Amino acid sequence: MPVALLGPVLRHVDATSATVWVEVDEPGLVHVDVRLPDGTVRTAASPTLTLHAHHFALVVVEDLPAGASLPYGVRLDEAPVWPPPRAGWAWPESRIRTASPGAEVRIAFGSCRRAGDDGEESTRLVGVDALSAMAHRLHDDALAPHPDLLLFVGDQVYADDPNPGIVDRLRERHAGRADEDPEVRDEIGDFEEYTWLYHETWGPDPVRWLLSTVPTCMLLDDHDLRDDWNTSDVWRAEVSRRPWWRERVTGAFGSYWIYQHLGNLSPAELARDRLLAVLREIEDDAERDEVLDEFARTADADPSSARWSFTRELGTTRLVAVDSRCARRLTPGERRMTDAAEWEWIRERALAPGARHLLLATTLPAFLLHGIHHAETFDAAVADGRFGRRAAGWGERLRQAADLEHWAAFHPSFVDLVALLGQVGRAPEPPASVLVLSGDVHCSYTARVDVPGLDPDRTVVHQLVMSPFRNPLERGMQIANRVLDRGPVRALVRGLALLAGVREADVAWEVEHGPWFDNGVMTVVLGPDGTAGVEVEHAGRCQGLPRLRRTLTRTLRGAPRPSVTTALRTGV
């Protein structure tokens, strides 16, 4: 009997359609059967797409009723493959929950998740899995609210630091290879090995069920390829000379495209995707693999050839997910998070009218703890040659060693982002809230951002950071984070940045809650009336099972106060 090797993963969902991704063990026609409220079944089907001997399908189901909770199953040809027909499966049926116009929107997010089950050894190494804890809550509590979207803001897989089980497989696969480079002996090297990571990461039963029933979207960050990826032109020049780099980057982009990126797209965008159309037309497997590989290599060499940024519309909420890794401009003195074309694309979507809430998702926080922010602006100026060539070399080494590569380290882009926030807030009909959602830094916090000229009664701006899902920061680094944010240290590094000629953007921000360093998940709750709130939860164990505990419930923006005319009319 055929089996679903991975998935189904529920991807794009709106009021009337849903996209389901799956990997199966043999080619065929994948059917998604959705049970409608009247008991009839709506079926959509798509043939598998074979890439490097793996068989994938992305099935779009359309003409669904809005605001409904619809059970579904998956077949390969006529054989059921989901729910898994195996003993020991104890999770509920998977459901598609279509959007309901006028309802509040709940978006859960986070980043940095090491693979592993819920056993004692995995928990000892990397703590309790926040996603497994979320799955258990949704399983056990029928009244628990489901997220309308689960947003992964980077580092879903760790290609440069895989778990011991993957390392053992790598060593077995490479045994006897004379050309093996000891530098990357225990790292992921090609498309096939990337598939191992995704299977390990998405495979545990609780997470697999969660991904089958909560819509998802995903951004990539450095560990999807290698630590410090694209941190500078020096880093890129050095790594590009490595003999293993070409195959690594080919596997990274190719696997990201099929496992993560395609599902970010709406059905209309999928229908326009040129690469997907070309691959579906090719009958020869080897030719199809080469087309994908060439796309991947070109995407690395020429960032303008592929766009990984994307948008999602969820009722009155607009999500603009920003690729802050692949599209970087690395020229010293002109380092930017994105090139000009990518930034213009982002600006156009952020400034488009009609959003009650605007979410800007970027894997790397824009508004860091202040001491770290000033340290990064100072180091960037040094690395750009502010104090001479020798000092620039020291600055570059520190940049790589301490991961000083956030928006502050690409200061022109930080200034551009602040300017964009001002433009959004000064629009004729601005959003009620602008929330910057990020991860990466292995801690979580909330920060209020004050942009001069913006009326907080009309538009509030916050930086929200959640990291990790499951990869806690070591104790020494936690202490370093806290020390860098103490007043005297902040003042010192700010003085160094001023000495280096850094001129800050006209913006202020204050960390209101956190930082916390435990595994967890953050959820924003957005109302069509303009209300906005955030829930912070951290993972622990209760009665032997992963559980989430509420750390913070905070209103970011309350309901708008009625005008005098409205109050008289309604009797308020």
Side-chain angles (χ1 to χ4, degrees), residues 114-117 121-122 124-126 158-159 161-174 185-188 192-193 195-201:
R114 299 303 298 257
D117 57 23
E121 181 64 14
S122 291
R124 181 184 66 81
L125 290 174
V126 289
Y158 281 74
D161 187 20
N163 286 345
I166 297 290
V167 170
D168 290 342
R169 292 183 68 183
L170 291 170
R171 293 181 177 180
E172 180 180 354
R173 187 182 190 218
H174 300 166
R185 181 184 63 171
D186 295 339
E187 297 185 18
I188 297 302
E192 173 61 27
E193 292 167 6
T195 69
W196 301 353
L197 286 183
Y198 284 106
H199 284 229
E200 182 188 47
T201 303

Side-chain angles (χ1 to χ4, degrees), residues 16-22 28-36 41-48 57-64 71-78 96 267 280:
T16 61
S17 70
T19 303
V20 177
W21 178 100
V22 66
L29 188 65
V30 172
H31 301 78
V32 174
D33 302 314
V34 182
R35 191 164 71 246
L36 302 182
V41 174
R42 177 148 297 143
T43 297
S46 177
T48 54
L58 197 62
V59 183
V60 178
V61 190
E62 298 182 300
D63 298 323
L64 299 175
Y72 77 93
V74 180
R75 290 177 289 127
L76 178 59
D77 295 326
E78 297 306 317
I96 296 168
R280 282 176 167 168

